[in-house]
Amino acid sequence: MQSDMFTTLHWEDALNQLRDNGLLRDLDVAIARFLEQQCNGANHAVLMLAALTSNQQASGHLCVDLDNDRLSEQLWGTSPPDNLAALLPGKPADWLKALQQSPLVSSDGSTPLVLDNHRLYLRRNWSQECAVAEAIAARLATLSGLSAAELHQPLQALFPHSDDNTNWQQVACALASRSGIGIITGGPGTGKTTTVVKLLGLLQSLAMAKGQRLRIRLAAPTGKAAARLTESIGDQVAALPVSDAVRDSIPTDVTTLHRLLGTRPDSRHFRHHAHNPLHADLVVVDEASMIDMDMMASLLGALPAHAQLILLGDKDQLASVEAGAVMGDLCRHAFEGRYQDDTVTFVADSCGTDITAFKAAGTTQGTALAQCTAMLRKNWRSKDSPGIGTLATAINQADLKGTRTAFSDYPDSLNRRSLRSDGQELENLLLEGSAGHDGLRSLFNAVQTPPEDHTRDQWAAALLRQLTHQQLLSGLRSGPFGVEQLNQRITHYLQQQDLAPEREWYPGRPVMMTRNDYQLGLMNGDVGLTLPGEQDEAGLRALRVAFQLPDGRIKWVLPSRLDGVETVYAMTVHKSQGSEFRHTLLVLPDTPHPLLTRELVYTAVTRARETFTLLEFGKAGVWDSAVKKATWRASGLSQRLED
């Protein structure tokens, strides 16, 4: 079972060699050492697999799937060096046998490692995945009791204009009202916010007609996403065709998930949990694709048994930064629909709509989850920016020719530019603006003239909006085309142009929180802008950083109180989720990279509301490689929900 190379090395030396070559972290090696201490004489292959399973969390995997044709790629990367891969002795069948015989491994979670069929988990990840699957299954079995006849008239009032095509927003409202969980997915511009506002009006109207009033809570994973939803939801609630009493009972303030659950400083636990549940009857979470398995387990655990959960998100976006791809797993078959006969009848009776074309057919099974899931398919924003929608669709379909055609057919909203790595074209683009959008020079000029003190909040809010007119994105954090070096390049260029002084803090410096600061009430991903503060008695203005809170208020913070921030002229695509910019620019490196995937470029493109610019420092093959490569995360959640 053991290779010649393996037998010449002590297991710990083998782990250290993998770590030194970037295939393991210090944490992974430490876990293997700890397990060996707990079980002296443990099988070396089991210890190696434990370290490798721990390492998979850094790539978003919940487990190591030993019966998957992408196992080699998962363990060793796209180009595994033979000498390092040989450090793990035997083959998957041998590893399964060793795991089944090891006292460190169980199938019920009683040991540090869990082998669930052919998937190897760390116990915590296995427990969370099981808890999420069980909680969702329980909510699917909790029926609302609302009949199709009861829904028909309210749905017609909320969606009075119909044509020959299926109104998926109306269908989504009907399906989401059926049980304890509803899932609504769709790309940008498909009306997810509009749909959920009408759903809130529907459910609150029906509840109040029975003398009840739903306690509704709205949340999003990040402060930026919460602020965006808060901004867009108010006008839509005001326009609902419902009574004033119903309208007044629908909240318009959106909070972050951390604030909703009640963060505890210096703890990974929340104030609300199974023994202290949320005071809510209906919880809506936007941008659900950003929720990792850990957070989803916490959210579901804190919901009262009777409460409904509505998840909104784009299944095609990047998955969460942390382990898991919950929204992707839940919406795995959303495009096909897979509706059962009773669901087709329910939609016909409640909406007057025929969704027979999306029935489960043949050997395809329509799960209980599918009956509460709806995909919004019409892009209402396409008439304003058709190029962005066309490009996003081509990316999702891995249609390389279609992406090239989109760039050529829509030059007003889509740009593709080749840049030299030794030039300053990028810096000039950002400074002067492009495609009709103002650049950094305009922003820096605006921050130099603060208004009277009583209008400072409005001034800061306007500048924070201006900051979203143009945003540079990168899929990488480090390296010459990563955000760290890009921000350094741009800062240096601004200094050359005498716009930014050579010091850490200066008016116009945009910053992003890199961790949660509960004392300040600022969350990881919140963006602030450094501005001149109020005048003191000597006429001097100390710097303050302005952040916009989810409720729209401006929070002013002394720079000295912000130790967890970074400059953000450029941000990663991951950090851009939940945001929207008038003009988005995506930097691609000169060679393909494992992190550049279809989901990443799709997410970057769909951050743009009006214009998208692709900046290429290498050959077109880098873009083609990213579009062809789909993200994959090892998980057993979708299978648990289908069993």
Side-chain angles (χ1 to χ4, degrees):
M1 179 175 169
Q2 294 189 341
S3 67
D4 292 340
M5 183 174 182
F6 187 87
T7 56
T8 63
L9 287 175
H10 185 268
W11 67 271
E12 201 165 359
D13 294 331
L15 287 177
N16 289 336
Q17 189 167 333
L18 291 173
R19 180 198 59 196
D20 294 342
N21 282 272
L23 292 172
L24 290 178
R25 304 166 297 175
D26 288 336
L27 172 64
D28 310 322
V29 176
I31 286 176
R33 288 172 177 160
F34 172 77
L35 293 177
E36 201 274 339
Q37 292 171 1
Q38 302 303 305
C39 181
N40 191 21
N43 183 287
H44 293 179
V46 171
L47 297 175
M48 294 278 285
L49 286 166
L52 289 165
T53 301
S54 168
N55 180 258
Q56 297 312 304
Q57 291 187 110
S59 300
H61 299 290
L62 287 167
C63 59
V64 169
D65 190 342
L66 298 175
D67 188 28
N68 191 289
D69 56 9
R70 300 181 68 171
L71 175 61
S72 177
E73 176 187 339
Q74 184 183 359
L75 293 179
W76 313 113
T78 53
S79 301
D82 292 337
N83 63 322
L84 295 178
L87 292 175
L88 180 58
K91 296 181 178 180
D94 303 317
W95 305 340
L96 275 171
K97 184 176 180 180
L99 291 167
Q100 290 164 350
Q101 296 175 349
S102 173
L104 293 170
V105 184
S106 66
S107 61
D108 60 1
S110 59
T111 53
L113 300 174
V114 179
L115 184 63
D116 195 329
N117 292 317
H118 46 81
R119 296 186 182 90
L120 180 64
Y121 296 81
L122 297 183
R123 176 169 53 195
R124 186 168 182 272
N125 288 342
W126 177 83
S127 298
Q128 288 180 340
E129 185 178 279
C130 290
V132 167
E134 290 169 4
I136 290 175
R139 295 193 172 280
L140 290 170
T142 305
L143 302 180
S144 68
L146 294 172
S147 67
E150 207 173 349
L151 291 169
H152 182 75
Q153 186 173 348
L155 282 173
Q156 298 307 309
L158 288 166
F159 299 93
H161 304 295
S162 61
D163 51 29
D164 294 336
N165 297 318
T166 301
N167 188 329
W168 282 102
Q169 293 185 4
Q170 186 185 45
V171 172
C173 284
L175 295 181
S177 67
R178 299 184 80 193
S179 68
I181 187 169
I183 300 170
I184 302 172
T185 186
T190 54
K192 295 187 292 293
T193 304
T194 300
T195 303
V196 78
V197 168
K198 291 188 176 183
L199 176 62
L200 295 178
L202 171 71
L203 297 177
Q204 190 68 284
S205 295
L206 293 171
M208 293 181 71
K210 298 176 181 178
Q212 303 168 357
R213 177 173 170 152
L214 298 176
R215 295 170 296 176
I216 301 172
R217 301 297 302 274
L218 310 177
T222 67
K224 289 186 299 180
R228 264 194 66 202
L229 185 58
T230 298
E231 185 178 0
S232 62
I233 205 171
D235 292 341
Q236 298 200 38
V237 170
L240 275 175
V242 296
S243 69
D244 290 343
V246 171
R247 197 178 296 113
D248 292 342
S249 68
I250 298 175
T252 56
D253 291 337
V254 186
T255 186
T256 63
L257 281 172
H258 285 83
R259 291 190 182 105
L260 175 73
L261 297 178
T263 50
R264 290 179 172 176
D266 303 319
S267 171
R268 63 187 306 163
H269 300 291
F270 294 102
R271 190 170 68 253
H272 290 291
H273 44 74
H275 302 295
N276 181 31
L278 289 164
H279 302 294
D281 304 305
L282 174 61
V283 175
V284 176
V285 183
D286 194 18
E287 296 289 353
S289 62
M290 300 170 67
I291 305 176
D292 57 61
M293 186 63 74
D294 189 4
M295 177 58 79
M296 184 60 76
S298 297
L299 173 62
L300 289 167
L303 287 177
H306 73 278
Q308 278 184 287
L309 174 65
I310 306 297
L311 298 176
L312 302 174
D314 185 347
K315 68 180 182 62
D316 297 313
Q317 276 192 35
L318 276 170
S320 57
V321 175
E322 303 299 331
V326 180
M327 192 67 174
D329 286 339
L330 297 181
C331 299
R332 188 176 176 186
H333 303 299
F335 182 79
E336 303 101 296
R338 298 194 176 187
Y339 298 121
Q340 298 170 358
D341 288 339
D342 66 326
T343 302
V344 174
T345 301
F346 177 83
V347 170
D349 293 343
S350 60
C351 303
T353 298
D354 184 7
I355 58 170
T356 303
F358 297 91
K359 277 182 57 177
T363 57
T364 301
Q365 297 298 312
T367 63
L369 181 65
Q371 313 318 302
C372 301
T373 302
M375 179 175 173
L376 307 183
R377 300 161 193 267
K378 181 175 179 178
N379 190 327
W380 297 88
R381 202 183 296 162
S382 60
K383 64 180 183 298
D384 299 320
S385 302
I388 293 171
T390 301
L391 179 59
T393 299
I395 292 169
N396 270 340
Q397 297 172 352
D399 180 2
L400 296 179
K401 182 179 179 181
T403 65
R404 290 191 285 269
T405 300
F407 278 108
S408 61
D409 286 352
Y410 299 97
D412 291 340
S413 57
L414 300 176
N415 303 289
R416 191 168 186 172
R417 304 182 63 156
S418 296
L419 304 180
R420 291 169 41 207
S421 58
D422 59 350
Q424 292 184 318
E425 295 171 280
L426 171 63
E427 290 89 335
N428 277 321
L429 275 175
L430 296 178
L431 184 62
E432 305 302 341
S434 60
H437 302 285
D438 290 335
L440 290 172
R441 187 184 297 279
S442 174
L443 178 70
F444 271 81
N445 288 337
V447 304
Q448 304 304 323
T449 54
E452 296 297 328
D453 292 341
H454 67 277
T455 61
R456 287 179 51 74
D457 283 5
Q458 295 95 312
W459 176 63
L463 290 176
L464 285 166
R465 284 194 298 273
Q466 185 175 343
L467 195 60
T468 67
H469 287 184
Q470 171 184 272
Q471 182 62 55
L472 180 66
L473 303 179
S474 172
L476 309 178
R477 180 153 194 86
S478 57
F481 306 99
V483 295
E484 292 175 347
Q485 290 198 30
L486 287 172
N487 281 313
Q488 291 174 7
R489 279 179 56 178
I490 297 163
T491 300
H492 181 64
Y493 188 72
L494 291 170
Q495 291 169 349
Q496 290 178 329
Q497 300 297 311
D498 293 326
L499 290 172
E502 293 188 27
R503 58 174 183 262
E504 181 181 11
W505 291 99
Y506 51 86
R509 181 194 178 197
V511 295
M512 175 182 282
M513 298 291 297
T514 58
R515 61 178 180 80
N516 296 334
D517 190 320
Y518 302 110
Q519 289 186 335
L520 292 176
L522 298 173
M523 297 292 114
N524 186 358
D526 287 351
V527 172
L529 184 61
T530 311
L531 298 171
E534 298 179 8
Q535 283 187 343
D536 60 19
E537 294 179 356
L540 300 176
R541 294 182 181 272
L543 294 178
R544 298 288 189 275
V545 184
F547 292 87
Q548 189 157 34
L549 300 177
D551 61 6
R553 290 181 296 118
I554 298 297
K555 185 177 187 67
W556 298 89
V557 183
L558 281 168
S560 59
R561 297 193 64 190
L562 296 171
D563 57 353
V565 295
E566 61 186 12
T567 303
V568 70
Y569 296 114
M571 71 173 66
T572 62
V573 178
H574 265 292
K575 289 289 189 180
S576 75
Q577 287 181 275
S579 298
E580 186 177 74
F581 313 101
R582 287 177 59 190
H583 182 197
T584 299
L585 305 96
L586 174 65
V587 170
L588 288 185
D590 52 2
T591 57
H593 191 282
L595 292 179
L596 300 181
T597 64
R598 183 182 310 155
E599 291 78 7
L600 183 138
V601 294
Y602 169 85
T603 302
V605 168
T606 55
R607 296 312 88 206
R609 186 173 183 85
E610 299 175 11
T611 311
F612 172 76
T613 297
L614 179 65
L615 303 174
E616 298 175 287
F617 284 92
K619 297 180 179 179
V622 178
W623 168 265
D624 293 350
S625 172
V627 171
K628 288 188 293 185
K629 182 181 180 182
T631 300
W632 169 71
R633 289 192 169 183
S635 163
L637 180 61
S638 58
Q639 182 175 326
R640 294 182 196 280
L641 293 170
E642 291 173 5
D643 288 346

